[in-house]
């Protein structure tokens, strides 16, 4: 068995790696378009090959020109008897080449645990991921706002101001990390300090298609900084992006004001859909989405390496 990253000449064979299970995957159209725009790159697409036949394929996503950030698709040919073992070995070879083990992101319907075919599709992939060192499990709720829901009205409790200085956002990223309920933030702080994590988060948001001019700092009537709101976008369209309340300002319900500002920003630009994720365990954020009229439409499952 040969484990390797792909080259352009492999494309036709890669397009025939078809997943027929009810789970998110890198289909032919997505593979072509993301290879063209740099979100997929051949050095991030790995295969297990025997006698010229692709028996397994793994596809990682990342910002163009950046490191691989997430495993998008894991495929094993139906003829393989032990698909867990082959998939795990493929992941280990790629992780060794990357010098990192990016998290695996899978999108499934809401209520997926009641769907046996989805449970089965997730099950063997999760076991392969665990064997390859991805042992930390997270479930994130996927929300969407659509124009049939009223746009939240400003409460007047906060003033929102544009801030062109990126360093100001590094500082608020750093400060809101304290006591954060966000799993990604808490996990990152196990291995790096708050400023390093803040700079990494800022770089990621600057790499997204959203307009930097949308970002806002939020102040109280007394002029104190309360938090920040960062509307953004990905390849699929507008997203909530990031919002945070400073530790000393928590307990006043400012999360509703920040989410309302982001929703108004996108709605004023004509958005027909605004997407967002939050951890299933982050109940304050989930309730804020529900108060603002966002509805759960799917679930994102994330399997990552335990930083500890």
């Amino acid at each position: 068995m040969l484990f390797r990253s792909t080259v352009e000449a492999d494309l036709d064979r890669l397009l025939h790696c078809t997943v027929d299970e009810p789970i998110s995957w890198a289909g032919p159209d997505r593979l072509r378009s993301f290879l063209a725009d740099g979100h997929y790159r051949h050095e991030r697409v790995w295969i297990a090959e025997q006698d010229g036949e692709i028996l397994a394929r793994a596809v990682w996503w990342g910002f163009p020109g950046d490191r691989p950030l997430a495993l998008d698709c894991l495929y094993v040919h139906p003829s393989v008897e032990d698909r867990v073992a082959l998939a795990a070995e493929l992941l280990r070879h790629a992780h060794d080449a990357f010098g990192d083990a990016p998290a695996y992101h899978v999108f499934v319907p809401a209520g997926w645990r009641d769907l046996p075919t989805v449970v089965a599709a997730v099950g063997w992939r999760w076991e392969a991921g665990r064997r390859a060192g991805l042992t930390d499990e997270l479930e994130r709720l996927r929300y969407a706002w659509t124009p049939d829901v009223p746009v939240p009205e400003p409460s007047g409790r906060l003033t929102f101001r544009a801030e062109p200085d990126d360093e100001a956002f590094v500082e608020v990223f750093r400060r809101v990390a304290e006591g954060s309920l966000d799993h990604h933030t808490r996990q990152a702080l196990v291995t790096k300090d708050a400023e390093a994590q803040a700079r990494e988060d800022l770089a990621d948001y600057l790499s997204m298609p959203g307009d930097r001019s949308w970002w806002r700092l939020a102040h109280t009537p007394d002029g104190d900084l309360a938090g920040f709101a960062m509307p953004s976008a990905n390849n699929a369209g507008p997203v909530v992006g990031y919002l945070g309340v400073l530790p000393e300002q928590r307990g006043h319900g400012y999360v509703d004001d920040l989410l309302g500002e982001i929703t108004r920003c996108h709605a004023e630009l004509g958005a027909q859909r605004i997407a967002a994720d939050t951890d299933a365990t982050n109940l304050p954020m989930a309730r804020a989405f529900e108060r603002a009229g966002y509805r759960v439409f799917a679930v994102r499952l994330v399997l990552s390496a335990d930083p500890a």
Side-chain angles (χ1 to χ4, degrees), residues 4-79:
R4 65 174 176 88
S5 58
T6 62
V7 296
E8 191 172 348
D10 295 313
L11 181 58
D12 284 345
R13 291 188 303 144
L14 291 172
L15 295 173
H16 286 89
C17 298
T18 303
V19 174
D20 59 5
E21 299 158 285
I23 197 168
S24 59
W25 64 290
D29 291 343
R30 181 181 178 91
L31 190 68
R32 283 194 188 95
S33 64
F34 277 30
L35 282 171
D37 67 18
H39 287 92
Y40 291 161
R41 286 161 43 181
H42 278 291
E43 60 265 32
R44 298 179 189 153
V45 180
W46 276 68
I47 58 174
E49 182 180 37
Q50 189 171 53
D51 299 327
E53 182 179 8
I54 296 175
L55 296 182
R57 185 192 76 170
V59 182
W60 280 265
W61 176 92
F63 294 118
D66 199 359
R67 66 196 187 283
L69 295 176
L71 175 61
D72 241 10
C73 179
L74 187 57
Y75 155 90
V76 175
H77 193 277
S79 67

Side-chain angles (χ1 to χ4, degrees), residues 31-299:
L31 190 68
R32 283 194 188 95
S33 64
F34 277 30
L35 282 171
D37 67 18
H39 287 92
Y40 291 161
R41 286 161 43 181
H42 278 291
E43 60 265 32
R44 298 179 189 153
V45 180
W46 276 68
I47 58 174
E49 182 180 37
Q50 189 171 53
D51 299 327
E53 182 179 8
I54 296 175
L55 296 182
R57 185 192 76 170
V59 182
W60 280 265
W61 176 92
F63 294 118
D66 199 359
R67 66 196 187 283
L69 295 176
L71 175 61
D72 241 10
C73 179
L74 187 57
Y75 155 90
V76 175
H77 193 277
S79 67
V80 174
E81 185 174 340
D82 191 344
R83 54 187 177 181
V84 171
L86 182 58
E89 191 169 359
L90 176 61
L91 295 182
R92 286 193 291 267
H93 277 82
H95 293 169
D96 288 345
F98 297 154
D100 189 17
Y104 183 20
H105 292 241
V106 167
F107 300 92
V108 294
W112 66 276
R113 287 184 176 83
D114 297 323
L115 304 171
T117 54
V118 178
V119 172
V122 171
W124 73 262
R125 290 173 169 86
W126 248 224
E127 180 57 28
R130 290 189 193 99
R131 292 189 192 181
L134 304 178
T135 58
D136 191 86
E137 299 184 35
L138 174 66
E139 183 166 335
R140 289 176 63 81
L141 304 177
R142 308 207 70 205
Y143 287 89
W145 177 93
T146 51
D148 59 303
V149 176
V151 178
E153 294 289 336
S155 71
R157 300 194 307 159
L158 296 178
T159 300
F160 294 91
R161 304 173 190 165
E163 173 52 70
D165 184 4
D166 287 347
E167 289 301 310
F169 284 94
V170 170
E171 177 63 11
V172 288
F173 264 121
R174 184 189 67 78
R175 293 173 66 184
V176 302
E178 181 183 339
S180 174
L181 297 177
D182 180 75
H183 180 83
H184 167 75
T185 300
R186 295 164 68 94
Q187 190 184 54
L189 291 176
V190 173
T191 58
K192 63 192 73 171
D193 63 38
E195 181 171 347
Q197 177 58 29
R199 292 191 180 279
E200 186 174 300
D201 284 338
L202 179 72
D204 286 346
Y205 278 93
L206 286 171
S207 299
M208 294 176 69
D211 194 323
R212 168 66 174 79
S213 67
W214 299 341
W215 299 1
R216 295 289 184 269
L217 296 182
H219 294 82
T220 68
D222 295 332
D224 295 327
L225 183 63
F228 68 131
M230 294 174 59
S232 192
N234 59 23
N235 286 4
V239 296
V240 165
Y242 200 102
L243 59 89
V245 179
L246 300 184
E248 65 270 22
Q249 299 287 0
R250 291 171 187 160
H252 302 295
Y254 288 148
V255 62
D256 293 331
D257 300 88
L258 298 173
L259 180 57
E261 177 69 11
I262 291 172
T263 306
R264 287 189 296 275
C265 171
H266 284 313
E268 289 168 4
L269 292 169
Q272 294 302 298
R273 184 176 182 273
I274 308 168
D277 283 12
T278 195
D279 300 345
T281 54
N282 190 346
L283 297 181
M285 192 68 243
R287 289 168 181 160
F289 280 126
E290 292 159 9
R291 288 192 296 270
Y294 285 71
R295 303 184 184 102
V296 174
F297 70 91
V299 171

